[in-house]
Amino acid sequence: MEKTLSIIKPDGVARGVIGEVIKRLESNGLKIIAMKMLKMNKAQAESFYSVHKERPFFQSLTYFMTSGPIVVMVLEGENAIAGYREIMGATDHRDAAEGTIRKDFATDIEKNIVHGSDSPETAASEIGFFFNSYEVTG
Ligand code: ATP
Ligand code: MG
């Protein structure tokens, strides 16, 4: 069993698709083992996305991620990291496959509704960024 971190970004919460995203996760065999809603400040967003600090979109991305509440979840399942990224679709919604979350709901390469960890190492560190061990029920 693998764990991964999922975020429903501010645009997803604002557009009222929390339920739709969760439905797709659960119906694809991903079990939610931790969940909360919160609003990040700029320093937290910069820390979370520190791997991207040299990228031209860093300031815009971290500002966007503080623009409203987000829903953070820990998902568990077989191949959860790759499986969830497949359900999310490509970063740029114009490249995303039919039926993916980003294809159906994203409006912009930045405002792309969801985040998902990209490796076991980043999953562990991203889960630890948002949750204490006793908040992760799996
Ligand atoms: P995430 O890390 O959010 O799951 P990802 O792994 O598909 O998405 P990354 O390359 O890690 O994409 O980029 C992180 C986030 O930065 C993207 O989800 C998107 O919100 C934003 N982003 C990526 N590329 C661009 C870009 N060229 N212009 C603006 N924003 C971008
Ligand atoms: Mg990424």
Side-chain angles (χ1 to χ4, degrees):
M1 281 297 181
E2 205 169 60
K3 292 182 178 65
T4 189
L5 183 86
S6 164
I7 303 178
I8 304 177
K9 296 182 180 184
D11 57 330
V13 174
R15 294 183 55 214
V17 297
I18 297 171
E20 183 60 38
V21 170
I22 288 176
K23 187 172 134 195
R24 291 178 185 212
L25 304 178
E26 291 186 325
S27 62
N28 282 281
L30 293 164
K31 186 178 172 193
I32 300 166
I33 61 168
M35 175 160 64
K36 59 186 161 192
M37 180 179 277
L38 57 94
K39 193 165 180 285
M40 284 199 284
N41 64 32
K42 189 73 162 56
Q44 289 166 330
E46 289 178 3
S47 172
F48 182 77
Y49 278 118
S50 61
V51 298
H52 294 312
K53 63 177 181 295
E54 308 299 340
R55 308 282 285 275
F57 56 81
F58 181 68
Q59 285 306 325
S60 173
L61 171 64
T62 52
Y63 176 76
F64 160 60
M65 289 300 290
T66 66
S67 66
I70 61 176
V71 173
V72 290
M73 292 173 275
V74 179
L75 310 178
E76 185 180 65
E78 245 170 77
N79 263 315
I81 295 171
Y84 172 47
R85 287 183 73 83
E86 204 173 311
I87 296 165
M88 289 199 299
T91 308
D92 186 339
H93 66 104
R94 293 167 297 187
D95 301 329
E98 290 297 328
T100 60
I101 293 168
R102 285 166 168 170
K103 177 74 176 186
D104 291 345
F105 303 115
T107 52
D108 187 279
I109 188 167
E110 175 182 87
K111 295 171 185 64
N112 59 2
I113 306 285
V114 280
H115 164 83
S117 308
D118 60 13
S119 73
E121 294 71 33
T122 51
S125 97
E126 290 179 357
I127 290 167
F129 186 91
F130 288 109
F131 295 97
N132 293 320
S133 58
Y134 58 80
E135 294 176 308
V136 180
T137 62

